[in-house]
Amino acid sequence: MLTPSRRRIAGLVAVVVAGCSSGEPLVPKLAGELCDFDKKSTQTYFVSHITPRGALMQDDVDLDEYRAKAMDAIPSALARPKRVRYETQTRQDCYNEAGKYWYPCMVKIDIDLGAAAGVSRAVDLKEARFYAVLNCERVTQRIAADALKSRLFESANLECQIVEDKICKIPAKK
């Protein structure tokens, strides 16, 4: 039987897979502050939130749902990669023109992770921080997999960290 936290993680994996399969350009939508609402997930920026009922959802919060629960603030967190560049080597088959033969060679690959980010909003700051890091690491892993054209790579250098967290006030309804 899955615990509520494991159900949330399983749900996030499904949300991440769905979010990463869209054909959006690799341009981060980080305009504004962490406390600006209506953020949307992109290829390099993943946003999720935990509803007041405990459900994990992609994209930003529905402010009316929080207002209906008489909540006036939402803990929020932003995570970014610990390293802006991911460098690795991959084995390829290279061709020697002079000898007319193929041979195995190692090719260095340098991947820019600077645009990757993860944002999460939750009922408490600890949970928002956890999911922001998880969202960011899912993005960095997808960027690396796309660049390497493989799902097999060392992910230790794709880790993320919290760079900002706040208790964001819910704006009054207009």
Side-chain angles (χ1 to χ4, degrees):
M1 187 163 150
L2 291 175
T3 64
S5 63
R6 288 189 183 194
R7 259 186 264 138
R8 285 186 192 144
I9 291 172
L12 181 62
V13 170
V15 168
V16 169
V17 170
C20 288
S21 64
S22 66
E24 296 178 41
L26 292 174
V27 177
K29 302 230 178 182
L30 293 174
E33 298 282 326
L34 176 60
C35 290
D36 291 344
F37 292 95
D38 295 326
K39 296 183 184 311
K40 300 286 184 202
S41 296
T42 69
Q43 291 286 341
T44 58
Y45 181 69
F46 194 82
V47 181
S48 70
H49 71 278
I50 307 293
T51 66
R53 297 180 325 231
L56 178 64
M57 305 295 287
Q58 183 176 346
D59 292 331
D60 219 337
V61 299
D62 176 4
L63 292 174
D64 290 333
E65 184 176 359
Y66 277 81
R67 289 182 191 115
K69 298 280 184 186
M71 299 175 84
D72 61 348
I74 304 171
S76 304
L78 169 66
R80 293 279 201 173
K82 289 181 179 178
R83 297 182 178 147
V84 178
R85 312 245 21 119
Y86 175 64
E87 296 175 354
T88 189
Q89 291 185 6
T90 184
R91 183 193 169 281
Q92 291 184 354
D93 292 329
C94 297
Y95 187 70
N96 183 319
E97 283 288 332
K100 307 280 188 217
Y101 63 90
W102 290 91
Y103 64 97
C105 61
M106 297 300 285
V107 176
K108 184 177 178 180
I109 297 177
D110 184 14
I111 302 167
D112 182 11
L113 300 174
V119 170
S120 184
R121 303 186 197 278
V123 178
D124 65 47
L125 198 52
K126 182 179 177 183
E127 198 168 29
R129 293 171 60 94
F130 172 81
Y131 284 109
V133 169
L134 185 62
N135 291 347
C136 176
E137 289 177 355
R138 294 290 182 187
V139 170
T140 60
Q141 290 171 9
R142 189 205 48 77
I143 291 170
D146 289 350
L148 296 170
K149 296 176 180 58
S150 171
R151 300 286 178 213
L152 300 174
F153 51 86
E154 175 60 44
S155 64
N157 292 331
L158 298 172
E159 294 175 336
C160 293
Q161 64 189 358
I162 297 298
V163 294
E164 183 179 7
D165 58 8
K166 292 181 180 179
I167 306 296
C168 298
K169 298 284 184 198
I170 296 175
K173 193 168 184 172
K174 294 177 183 179

